[in-house]
């Protein structure tokens, strides 16, 4: 018996990395998983990798029309949602003094605005007692140079969670933030060179980055009844980086 047997889960931005690993694990644990991604080819590959109990819906989570299309599909196919992992996000370096309006817009438009409307548009389909969680970043917990815009756009998520816990208490819907540290993923490969990776690994106690599967295991905890008494929390999964 799987931890998510009979559940319906939605995971945004799940065509690679942590969220894709989570989608595979959720499907293995018995959930039917709806995943999204901006590129149809990457989405098709992700669906093929997951292999079963999965539906791919192409769309950008920063687009309200795309979110409507996603949840319309969920409603037509399954009728309700038990788990939402709002994971779609973007991040790149922006040094103070060189930050452009476009840099700010891109980060906050998806990470802050897109996440909020993903949750809001999912709510009419949510079963009482469900679980919502969002992907944060330990960049919002430490002063990493050049990452202020990204850190700021992620720092709003725990504030969302605290307020939404209060607003959703009568429906017993839990809201948490899953905050990973440095994880070996395609997104990381795009924004970091080898020197930067080495610098980040040097501050991780075990001296190596996390694996997507390690974040997926934490996501399964938040999605399942194992975390039934965890609500309004930021679960930091960064190998101890932010505590030393």
């Amino acid at each position: 018996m799987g931890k998510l047997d009979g559940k319906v889960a939605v995971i945004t931005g799940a065509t690679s990395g942590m969220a894709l690993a989570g989608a595979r694990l959720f499907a293995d644990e018995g959930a039917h998983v709806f995943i999204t991604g901006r590129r149809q080819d990457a989405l098709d590959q992700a669906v093929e990798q997951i292999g079963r109990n999965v539906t791919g819906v192409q769309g950008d989570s920063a687009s309200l029309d795309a979110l409507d299309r996603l949840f319309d599909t969920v409603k037509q196919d399954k009728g309700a949602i038990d788990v939402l992992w709002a994971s779609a996000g973007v991040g790149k370096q922006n040094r103070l003094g060189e930050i452009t309006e476009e840099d700010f817009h891109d980060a906050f438009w998806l990470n802050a605005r897109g996440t909020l409307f993903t949750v809001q548009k999912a709510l009419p389909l949510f079963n009482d007692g469900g679980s919502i969680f969002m992907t944060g970043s330990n960049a919002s917990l430490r002063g990493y140079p050049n990452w202020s815009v990204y850190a700021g756009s992620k720092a709003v998520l725990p504030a969302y969670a605290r307020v939404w816990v209060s607003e959703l208490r009568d429906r017993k819907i839990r809201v948490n933030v899953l905050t990973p540290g440095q994880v070996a993923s395609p997104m990381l490969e795009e924004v970091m060179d080898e020197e930067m990776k080495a610098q980040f690994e040097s501050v991780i106690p075990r001296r190596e980055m996390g694996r997507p599967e390690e974040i997926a295991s934490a996501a399964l905890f938040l999605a399942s009844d194992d975390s039934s008494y965890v609500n309004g929390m930021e679960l930091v999964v960064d190998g101890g980086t932010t505590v030393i």
Side-chain angles (χ1 to χ4, degrees):
M1 181 174 177
K3 291 178 181 282
L4 299 178
D5 273 351
K7 303 290 188 182
V8 174
V10 176
I11 307 177
T12 61
T15 55
S16 66
M18 301 176 290
L20 175 56
R24 282 198 301 262
L25 182 57
F26 286 15
D28 288 344
E29 290 288 339
H32 187 94
V33 185
F34 289 82
I35 66 169
T36 72
R38 288 179 293 182
R39 290 174 31 230
Q40 187 66 53
D41 59 339
L43 185 64
D44 292 342
Q45 291 173 15
V47 168
E48 184 177 354
Q49 287 184 44
I50 296 165
R52 58 175 178 153
N53 300 332
V54 60
T55 302
V57 182
Q58 187 275 331
D60 183 344
S61 293
S63 164
L64 302 191
D65 288 342
L67 291 173
D68 286 337
R69 186 168 61 251
L70 165 64
F71 293 116
D72 284 346
T73 302
V74 176
K75 183 178 181 179
Q76 292 168 12
D77 290 359
K78 294 295 181 180
I81 301 170
D82 300 289
V83 177
L84 172 64
W85 181 3
S87 186
V90 66
K92 65 178 182 178
Q93 298 183 76
N94 311 101
R95 187 172 186 82
L96 186 63
E98 302 171 359
I99 297 168
T100 67
E101 186 176 359
E102 183 180 9
D103 293 333
F104 183 91
H105 177 276
D106 288 349
F108 277 82
W109 198 247
L110 177 56
N111 298 350
R113 177 184 178 274
T115 299
L116 185 152
F117 282 104
T118 297
V119 173
Q120 180 165 285
K121 287 178 177 293
L123 277 180
L125 296 178
F126 239 87
N127 284 323
D128 290 358
S131 173
I132 296 169
F133 57 100
M134 304 165 276
T135 297
S137 171
N138 76 345
S140 68
L141 304 176
R142 294 191 61 162
Y144 295 120
N146 306 330
W147 291 95
S148 60
V149 174
Y150 175 68
S153 70
K154 289 293 189 177
V156 303
L157 303 186
Y160 286 168
R162 288 189 291 270
V163 174
W164 294 344
V165 164
S166 178
E167 293 179 339
L168 298 174
R169 63 191 301 175
D170 291 341
R171 297 184 60 189
K172 297 181 172 58
I173 296 174
R174 298 181 293 111
V175 187
N176 293 288
V177 179
L178 174 58
T179 295
Q182 296 76 15
V183 177
S185 67
M187 187 177 114
L188 199 75
E189 294 291 333
E190 290 178 7
V191 299
M192 289 189 183
D193 56 24
E194 290 301 319
E195 181 180 357
M196 184 175 297
K197 285 187 222 175
Q199 290 174 348
F200 273 114
E201 286 185 325
S202 71
V203 301
I204 302 171
R206 73 180 188 188
R207 298 296 191 267
E208 65 179 55
M209 294 195 184
R211 301 185 305 277
E213 293 76 16
E214 292 175 307
I215 307 304
S217 295
L220 177 61
F221 169 72
L222 291 177
S224 72
D225 290 341
D226 288 347
S227 60
S228 59
Y229 203 44
V230 179
N231 201 7
M233 299 303 297
E234 183 171 14
L235 176 59
V236 180
V237 187
D238 69 351
T241 301
T242 53
V243 299
I244 64 170

